[in-house]
Amino acid sequence: MNAASSTTNTPDTSGHASSGSPATHQAPAEALAALWAGANMPPEALSHVTLTGEDPVLPSSFAIGTAAQASLGASALAAAAIWAQRTGRWQDVSVDMRHALAEFRSERYLRVNGGPAPELWDKIAGLYPAGDGRWVRLHTNFPHHRDGVLKILKCAYDKDAVRAALSAWKAEDFETVASDAGMVVSAMRPLDEWLRHPQAQALRGLPPVIIEKIGDAPPEPLPAFGPHAEINVDARPLSGVRVLDFTRIIAGPVAGRTLAAHGADVLLVTAAHLPSMPSLVIDTGRGKRSCQLDLRDADDKRTQHKLFHGADVVVQGYRPNGLVELGAGPEAAARARPGIVYVSLSAYGHVGPWAGKRGFDSLVQTATGINTDEAQAAGSAEPKPLPAQVLDHASGYLLAFGAMVALHRRAVEGGSWHVRVSLAQVGQWLRSLGRVPGGAAVPDQHIDEISDLLEVEESGFGELTVVRHAAHLSETPAHWALPSVPLGTHAAEWLPR
């Protein structure tokens, strides 16, 4: 498939598609070509991509299969572009939509020692009706978020108690009070209300991935492999690339997992005092080493600074300005290591009144009208989420895509780079892809129906059943050379290049 001819069909990113809009959606090849052109990557790459399958695959009125295939395909094609820089030749890339969507639900399909993975959701997390008849979504999977919500509600740790307490609140009042206290909640909005919100207006017109040069540095091409693959049979596009992974939950960790799949040395950095979600640590830890540093500690901060000196890429997904306050923001990284590629994830974007607001995929879906539109399409009286954490996973692959685009530019132009992706901008992009007629009526998929896409591997947690990477590269098959391991398993140091 040659998608190059569709690079001019850049989608409208204003987010104005609604459940009342014409039920048409963009072709995956056009969506991928638009991402590629927006990043100013070589058009010839698009002639090496094959995309198979079509929406709907999972029950949704949104073109989630197109979003999965385009974002995952963009990351794979960027890896192929780096391979072409290092070897002088392109390789073929293919992505099947069914497989891409299975990988978008990788945490759902994870099995540990033949049984279910640890539970993802806290018992009071979810949607509740507020006293004004509107809905509120609570995210309480971290203990401090749970305890903070319960403190505001002055109720017991019980769904019925939470429901009763929220009946005394207006939805947006509770959202404001909880958000101001650093909690993660969202009032549910229909699309027209979201589009009038100052945050939506601030994001209007922004692309899903922003790639900016933030400092000067000489060009830094990655070492060449030569024209023949047999020179190094283990060579992959990102061999020798070092990635510091300051992320948790899904989107950021998926970015690191993707970079590891293409050969990068990914070092996950956590701290013993920070909460985590075990099933996500297992699923997104594939291919990574894992260390622990407390950046409040002077010695650990010095170790982090040394790691910056040796890094090519930093990926971070903590609350806005969280790492900046600890001296690990993009400007500090660029000073420590000119030529760094710093990749930032946020919930609602880096501009607008909600730039500092915490959030997760499910909350952004609720706040931006996606839950409302899905419910309307399905004929449901209650809010309906997407059938996967689509904003999280798409953001993860777009973060990886942006990182590799910046590495590709660094090789030619030099410079330090900052890549920005937000869940809300990705949600805006998802809307721009259009709606799928009859998509909400498609049956959901069970793990038995995607068994051909799974593989079994040993790990630091026992035997895992996991979804294989959905992008196929003809010369350098994506894979994870290292197993998932418990947090803090490794030393905080780089491997020899």
Side-chain angles (χ1 to χ4, degrees):
M1 178 211 71
N2 186 340
S5 62
S6 56
T7 54
T8 58
N9 296 328
T10 304
D12 172 24
T13 57
S14 66
H16 281 272
S18 73
S19 55
S21 301
T24 58
H25 60 280
Q26 194 171 27
E30 293 178 356
L32 173 56
L35 289 171
W36 199 250
N40 297 314
M41 291 294 278
E44 65 181 297
L46 294 164
S47 65
H48 298 279
V49 183
T50 300
L51 304 178
T52 53
E54 60 181 358
D55 279 305
V57 175
L58 294 177
S60 177
S61 66
F62 288 89
I64 61 172
T66 295
Q69 198 171 37
S71 58
L72 204 153
S75 69
L77 197 60
I82 290 177
W83 180 253
Q85 272 190 332
R86 301 182 76 170
T87 65
R89 65 180 184 275
W90 287 94
Q91 58 177 311
D92 294 329
V93 175
S94 62
V95 183
D96 179 70
M97 185 179 290
R98 172 174 164 267
H99 196 163
L101 279 172
E103 194 163 3
F104 263 47
R105 304 210 293 185
S106 61
E107 70 279 357
R108 182 178 302 196
Y109 296 133
L110 174 69
R111 298 293 181 268
V112 181
N113 293 319
E119 176 58 46
L120 270 175
W121 297 98
D122 178 67
K123 71 178 185 178
I124 63 167
L127 280 159
Y128 295 85
D132 56 357
R134 302 183 63 177
W135 293 84
V136 174
R137 184 181 288 278
L138 312 182
H139 196 288
T140 56
N141 292 337
F142 286 162
H144 63 294
H145 291 156
R146 176 199 66 210
D147 295 344
V149 164
L150 293 175
K151 181 178 179 181
I152 295 169
L153 292 176
K154 298 181 173 64
C155 73
Y157 180 38
D158 174 81
K159 284 187 80 78
D160 289 339
V162 170
R163 186 176 292 106
L166 280 169
S167 68
W169 285 83
K170 292 182 178 179
E172 287 196 30
D173 288 349
F174 183 72
E175 176 188 61
T176 299
V177 170
S179 296
D180 288 348
M183 301 302 104
V184 278
V185 305
S186 286
M188 194 173 86
R189 294 170 175 81
L191 176 62
D192 59 351
E193 186 177 323
W194 167 245
L195 292 177
R196 292 193 300 269
H197 194 282
Q199 187 60 30
Q201 294 174 11
L203 298 181
R204 186 174 178 181
L206 292 182
V209 185
I210 297 172
I211 305 170
E212 301 172 321
K213 184 181 283 189
I214 59 170
D216 295 325
E220 194 173 334
L222 295 171
F225 290 135
H228 303 295
E230 61 268 26
I231 289 177
N232 184 349
V233 296
D234 295 323
R236 286 189 281 167
L238 299 184
S239 293
V241 172
R242 292 170 169 172
V243 179
L244 267 182
D245 185 345
F246 290 97
T247 67
R248 292 186 294 176
I249 311 299
I250 296 176
V254 164
R257 185 179 72 184
T258 304
L259 297 171
H262 295 298
D265 175 18
V266 180
L267 182 61
L268 175 65
V269 182
T270 62
H273 68 280
L274 295 175
S276 63
M277 298 178 68
S279 60
L280 298 180
V281 170
I282 297 169
D283 180 52
T284 64
R286 287 176 274 160
K288 305 176 185 180
R289 296 182 299 119
S290 177
C291 71
Q292 291 189 329
L293 293 173
D294 186 342
L295 300 189
R296 302 168 303 179
D297 177 84
D299 289 339
D300 281 4
K301 185 171 283 192
R302 280 190 286 272
T303 299
Q304 166 256 308
H305 196 73
K306 290 179 183 177
L307 290 172
F308 270 178
H309 276 289
D312 297 289
V313 178
V314 175
V315 184
Q316 77 87 18
Y318 283 86
R319 65 174 175 82
N321 292 320
L323 288 187
V324 173
E325 294 166 4
L326 293 169
E331 289 76 18
R335 287 193 299 270
R337 200 285 195 212
I340 198 77
V341 173
Y342 196 98
V343 183
S344 294
L345 169 73
S346 64
Y348 293 99
H350 66 290
V351 294
W354 281 8
K357 184 178 172 68
R358 295 168 169 87
F360 296 103
D361 179 310
S362 56
L363 298 163
V364 175
Q365 287 188 42
T366 300
T368 62
I370 290 174
N371 286 176
T372 303
D373 283 354
E374 283 283 70
Q376 290 175 350
S380 171
E382 295 192 357
K384 187 173 178 60
L386 297 172
Q389 301 292 101
V390 174
L391 307 187
D392 263 335
H393 283 272
S395 294
Y397 293 111
L398 291 174
L399 288 162
F401 166 65
M404 287 185 276
V405 167
L407 287 172
H408 192 273
R409 291 190 190 177
R410 186 185 77 171
V412 178
E413 303 175 37
S416 300
W417 296 85
H418 193 188
V419 177
R420 299 181 190 265
V421 173
S422 78
L423 301 176
Q425 283 164 255
V426 171
Q428 184 172 262
W429 172 69
L430 173 64
R431 281 195 176 279
S432 78
L433 302 178
R435 304 294 288 279
V436 180
V442 171
D444 204 355
Q445 286 186 336
H446 187 267
I447 188 171
D448 293 341
E449 297 173 82
I450 55 100
S451 59
D452 57 310
L453 308 177
L454 304 176
E455 61 186 7
V456 176
E457 60 185 37
E458 292 299 323
S459 78
F461 304 93
E463 184 182 83
L464 306 182
T465 302
V466 296
V467 180
R468 295 193 308 276
H469 193 54
H472 297 268
L473 283 72
S474 58
E475 288 194 43
T476 62
H479 65 278
W480 294 286
L482 299 175
S484 298
V485 293
L487 297 176
T489 293
H490 298 97
E493 60 188 19
W494 292 116
L495 297 174
R497 291 192 189 270

